[in-house]
Amino acid sequence: MRYRRTGLMVATAAVAVLAVVGACLAYASWPSRGDRDTTRTYRVWHWNIAGSALHHGSVSDGLIEATSDSIRGRGADFASLNEICYGQYRALRQSLAGEGWPQDTGDFSRFARTRAASPELCGGTGPYGIALFSRQPLGLSQQFELPSDGSAEQRKMLCAALRTAPRMKFCTVHVTTRSTVRDGMPANYRQIRFVRRTLDAFDAKGEAYLVAGDFNAQPDYGRLKQLYAPSVATTANHGNTGANRELDDADRAHCPGYGQWTAVGSQAVASPCGHGPKVDEIFVRESRLAGAYSAASLPIPRTCSGIAYCSDHRALFGTVRMTVPSGAGRPLTTTRRREGARTSPRTPRALPPMS
């Protein structure tokens, strides 16, 4: 009888211990106060400046001043640049810092090279690529190589997290125009699919994001349906399967579901509402929306010497209120590869101190 009581007592104690352990594990999985979301409003500015094609790498023809004035004048929190030469990136960085735009002049910008320096590129002044700028100091940055389109340019998506909110990412991307088919899929579709999968991975890790860029696709194009959420369902944009809203898709005055045009020239088909094409977009995760959002394309400056307009694109400026997770999350510790793309956890080398 003593044996049975002892066994019963041991079993009861074991159950109690397991219950305590289970409760501790359950408690550990609950979001702590530091992991709860906060609500923030961000102002996002994006422009494809045609820094090589139209400006040949120049930093003295008025482009830098036009860009800096627009970013500061709009009170942007984030700025995305496509088709920018490295010398122009340095000059813009110095201009913004000189005008007191960022909160910390030491670490507020990133550049990703998509083409190496060559005599016919950027007027022979250096490499060419994409860049981003932030009013708040930046932390970890990542460069994601998009699937190759078969050209000499290795297109990328460049992302950086805020230093004070490391689970909030801002990204810039420039998708190819090429539709070269590989494995039964056009290059431009493959690149947008890669962007979508990368954004989905951010969300799966509990991270928030904003991504801006020249996607070289209009909102009603089939390859963008994987980004737009099904809730975007208008005459000009429907049949979507993604998880994002574009900051200009709720504009009832300018082609609902589509937005205002951004591209100049006849290389793209006109929009379903009859005006110019829109190929520049700013996306946010629909589940992160916490209020109103909007965007508008801006008139192209005419202050650049030697050319009628400073770019063949209009800048896009948007505002969004969204939830942002607090806490550090899981830091990247290794380099990983996915679909031929490289993600680097390293922060780009800092530029020399500016005078």
Side-chain angles (χ1 to χ4, degrees), residues 68 72 93-105 135:
S68 178
R72 291 184 297 103
R93 185 176 188 269
Q94 186 164 359
S95 176
L96 290 170
E99 295 294 336
W101 176 73
Q103 294 179 356
D104 181 350
T105 59
R135 183 191 293 270

Side-chain angles (χ1 to χ4, degrees), residues 127-193:
Y128 163 96
I130 57 179
L132 56 82
F133 297 82
S134 171
R135 183 191 293 270
Q136 300 179 37
L138 295 173
L140 179 74
S141 64
Q142 301 164 275
Q143 295 186 25
F144 299 86
E145 294 180 358
L146 275 56
S148 174
D149 64 356
S151 72
E153 183 169 8
Q154 176 55 68
R155 299 196 181 241
K156 298 176 181 177
M157 182 168 72
L158 170 65
C159 299
L162 290 176
R163 186 186 303 167
T164 57
R167 294 164 71 187
M168 173 62 204
K169 296 178 183 292
F170 177 59
C171 305
T172 181
V173 66
H174 187 197
V175 174
T176 185
T177 59
R178 293 193 171 201
S179 56
T180 307
V181 176
R182 176 185 171 189
D183 297 330
M185 188 178 299
N188 46 18
Y189 184 96
R190 289 172 59 86
Q191 291 190 359
I192 293 175
R193 184 184 68 166

Side-chain angles (χ1 to χ4, degrees), residues 311-335:
S311 178
D312 54 358
H313 285 247
R314 300 178 73 165
L316 185 64
F317 177 73
T319 302
V320 60
R321 189 155 181 82
M322 61 184 291
T323 60
V324 176
S326 301
R330 298 179 182 177
L332 284 176
T333 57
T334 58
T335 298

Side-chain angles (χ1 to χ4, degrees), residues 192 196 215 217-233 236-250 257-259 278 280-284 286 293:
I192 293 175
R196 188 256 303 168
F215 286 79
Q218 297 187 49
D220 62 327
Y221 281 15
R223 57 184 179 269
L224 273 188
K225 294 188 183 301
Q226 59 188 306
L227 283 180
Y228 280 93
S231 56
V232 183
N237 185 1
H238 53 84
N240 298 299
T241 60
N244 305 279
R245 298 298 297 250
E246 201 274 317
L247 298 193
D248 202 18
D249 68 29
Y258 183 98
K278 174 185 172 69
D280 300 272
E281 287 93 17
I282 304 170
F283 287 102
V284 61
E286 183 178 42
Y293 64 93

Side-chain angles (χ1 to χ4, degrees), residues 190-277:
R190 289 172 59 86
Q191 291 190 359
I192 293 175
R193 184 184 68 166
F194 178 82
V195 171
R196 188 256 303 168
R197 287 180 170 180
T198 305
L199 298 179
D200 287 349
F202 290 164
D203 182 69
K205 291 188 294 183
E207 298 172 341
Y209 59 79
L210 287 164
V211 56
D214 177 359
F215 286 79
N216 272 310
Q218 297 187 49
D220 62 327
Y221 281 15
R223 57 184 179 269
L224 273 188
K225 294 188 183 301
Q226 59 188 306
L227 283 180
Y228 280 93
S231 56
V232 183
T234 68
T235 302
N237 185 1
H238 53 84
N240 298 299
T241 60
N244 305 279
R245 298 298 297 250
E246 201 274 317
L247 298 193
D248 202 18
D249 68 29
D251 187 346
R252 296 184 179 181
H254 301 92
C255 203
Y258 183 98
Q260 291 180 276
W261 66 276
T262 64
V264 177
S266 58
Q267 70 277 8
V269 179
S271 80
C273 293
H275 52 60

